């Protein structure tokens, strides 16, 4: 197997790994009573997800990474950010049911809500009703506007240079 094939295998393995971790983490048992701890963990996760995407964008724009391999790294970083928000919504819904209105009861529901927020579709069947949930959705939207928009712009540049 050549180097490019191994790169695809590594990307696929990374995507599967983070998706499986999302699926098996014991979100229902994570019920810290300390609000400060929850805020700290969320802030750390938000900064880490943003830094991961921005690191990939910086690598691409600085010329240290080009082509399909860099595009796969950027897409993987974006997927990790989506899973981070999805896990946050799921944890919030199961630990404080009054925060989310609608049918957010499973991890798939949380992923669906996150994907509809990221894509700005927002069907309205699941909504943030509590103040904490609304604050997280606001941060998710700001994250999308700044970090993910930068990533999408970078991806478009890749295709523009190829054309």
């Amino acid at each position: 197997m050549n180097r490019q094939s191994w790169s695809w295998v590594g990307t696929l393995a990374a995507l599967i790994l983070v998706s499986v971790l999302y699926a098996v983490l014991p979100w229902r048992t994570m019920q810290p009573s300390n609000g400060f701890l929850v805020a700290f963990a969320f802030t750390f996760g938000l900064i880490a997800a943003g830094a991961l995407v921005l690191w990939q964008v910086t690598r691409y724009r600085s010329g240290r990474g080009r082509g399909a391999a860099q595009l796969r790294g950027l897409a993987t970083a974006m997927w990790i950010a989506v899973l981070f928000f999805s896990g946050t919504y799921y944890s919030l819904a199961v630990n404080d049911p009054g925060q989310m209105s609608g049918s957010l009861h499973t991890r798939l529901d949380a992923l669906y809500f996150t994907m509809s927020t990221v894509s700005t579709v927002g069907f309205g069947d699941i909504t943030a009703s509590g103040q904490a949930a609304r604050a997280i959705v606001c941060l998710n939207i700001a994250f999308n506007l700044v970090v993910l928009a930068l990533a999408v712009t970078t991806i478009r540049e890749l295709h523009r240079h190829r054309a």
Side-chain angles (χ1 to χ4, degrees), residues 53-54 140-153:
V53 173
L54 291 174
N140 192 176
I141 292 168
F143 185 90
N144 297 344
L145 290 172
V146 176
V147 178
L148 296 184
L150 181 61
V152 169
T153 301

Side-chain angles (χ1 to χ4, degrees), residues 10 16 26 54 62-63 69 79 117-118 153:
I16 290 170
L54 291 174
S62 70
W79 181 243
T117 302
V118 168
T153 301

Side-chain angles (χ1 to χ4, degrees), residues 42-128:
F42 175 77
T43 302
F44 177 78
L46 181 66
I47 290 169
L52 183 61
V53 173
L54 291 174
W55 176 61
Q56 291 293 331
V57 167
T58 302
R59 282 196 60 191
Y60 172 79
R61 289 188 172 211
S62 70
R64 288 181 285 150
R66 291 278 187 212
Q70 190 59 31
L71 183 60
R72 288 191 303 273
L74 186 54
T76 301
M78 290 170 57
W79 181 243
I80 290 170
V82 165
L83 291 179
F84 165 73
F85 277 104
S86 183
T88 300
Y89 293 128
Y90 181 69
S91 182
L92 188 63
V94 299
N95 292 314
D96 189 356
Q99 290 293 322
M100 303 298 289
S101 299
S103 59
L104 200 158
H105 305 293
T106 67
R107 294 165 206 249
L108 184 59
D109 294 339
L111 184 60
Y112 161 80
F113 177 72
T114 304
M115 295 297 288
S116 67
T117 302
V118 168
S119 65
T120 69
V121 172
F123 295 110
D125 54 341
I126 300 173
T127 59

Side-chain angles (χ1 to χ4, degrees), residues 23-42:
V24 301
L25 277 173
W27 298 103
R28 287 187 183 274
T29 61
M30 295 180 199
Q31 299 179 13
S33 57
N34 185 343
F36 175 76
L37 182 62
V38 171
F40 176 78
F42 175 77

